[in-house]
Amino acid sequence: MLTTTTLQEAFKIYLDEIKSCLNHKCYFAMLHLIVVLPDICGALESVDGKAKMECYKDWCERYLKNHRISSGEWYEIRCKLLHEGRTATSWGTSSYKGFGFLHPGLKDGNAHGEVVDGFLHLDVREIADDMKNALDGWFKFLEDNPASEASKNVEANLRALVCETPPQRIEQNGVILNVATVTKTSSLP
């Protein structure tokens, strides 16, 4: 059975990277992590464990509650940012011309949620907080609803999620080797 603690541990690599990006002011890298998380969550909920547009949008609709951005707009942000390096919309499905991403607390006259020349301005820290809250809500749902199809699929697919192994110290023939941290498929039960 899934628990919030198990899910937090499984997503630790992502949550730690988001914190690290915030601490080191790597906001653009953090934004990439944020927009990929609904893909991971949606894939884990699917029977085959694979990411699909419908799964992404459905997950956003249920957990990433933001009255300014629809699930379709989240998906367009993901596609434009990850695959084209753009923030302007072009699919004709968005309420905005595009999205402007602000550094946390930046005082350039534009505020989080403000629309300027058709572009919705979003503070990346606010988006990170929204994503953390969405994950917390999802974790709670999965823990509270173990008989749900989503929970069963996540439990079946979770062991394939990437994780980090700690650095290891190995001695061979009197020589000590420090083996770096490895990112690999999870060993969760």
Side-chain angles (χ1 to χ4, degrees), residues 5-155:
T5 303
T6 301
L7 291 161
Q8 287 170 336
E9 184 60 32
F11 278 80
K12 185 178 184 327
I13 188 172
Y14 298 102
L15 297 171
D16 286 353
E17 287 296 319
I18 289 171
K19 284 180 197 170
S20 180
C21 286
L22 275 170
N23 291 338
H24 293 94
K25 300 181 181 181
C26 298
Y27 305 124
F28 194 61
M30 182 182 72
L31 187 57
H32 284 73
L33 281 168
I34 290 168
V35 300
V36 80
L37 283 170
D39 248 342
I40 294 165
C41 299
L44 288 170
E45 281 190 350
S46 71
V47 173
D48 63 4
K50 295 187 179 182
K52 300 169 195 69
M53 177 182 64
E54 303 80 32
C55 295
Y56 186 103
K57 289 167 67 173
D58 180 58
W59 192 90
C60 288
E61 190 72 35
R62 288 181 288 133
Y63 299 103
L64 200 51
K65 307 282 191 222
N66 185 319
H67 66 277
R68 293 180 188 96
I69 308 171
S70 71
S71 60
E73 288 168 330
W74 274 114
Y75 189 73
E76 187 169 8
I77 291 170
R78 169 224 178 265
C79 292
K80 291 293 184 178
L81 187 65
L82 294 177
H83 302 297
E84 298 176 6
R86 299 177 187 176
T87 61
T89 60
S90 63
W91 294 356
T93 58
S94 179
S95 305
Y96 311 103
K97 289 181 184 176
F99 300 90
F101 298 100
L102 307 171
H103 289 200
L106 186 65
K107 303 293 184 214
D108 71 345
N110 298 323
H112 179 73
E114 186 176 326
V115 179
V116 178
D117 295 327
F119 281 76
L120 176 63
H121 289 241
L122 299 166
D123 182 309
V124 292
R125 179 181 296 278
E126 297 278 341
I127 295 172
D129 290 344
D130 288 347
M131 183 56 69
K132 176 70 169 89
N133 291 334
L135 286 171
D136 288 344
W138 185 57
F139 295 165
K140 179 155 180 38
F141 171 83
L142 295 171
E143 181 177 56
D144 292 349
N145 298 280
S148 70
E149 183 179 347
S151 188
K152 289 176 183 177
N153 290 341
V154 170
E155 192 162 11

Side-chain angles (χ1 to χ4, degrees), residues 166-187:
Q168 298 177 8
R169 188 177 162 135
I170 300 171
E171 186 174 338
Q172 289 182 340
N173 302 327
V175 177
I176 297 175
L177 303 170
N178 287 317
V179 180
T181 300
V182 177
T183 304
K184 65 177 190 94
T185 299
S186 176
S187 61

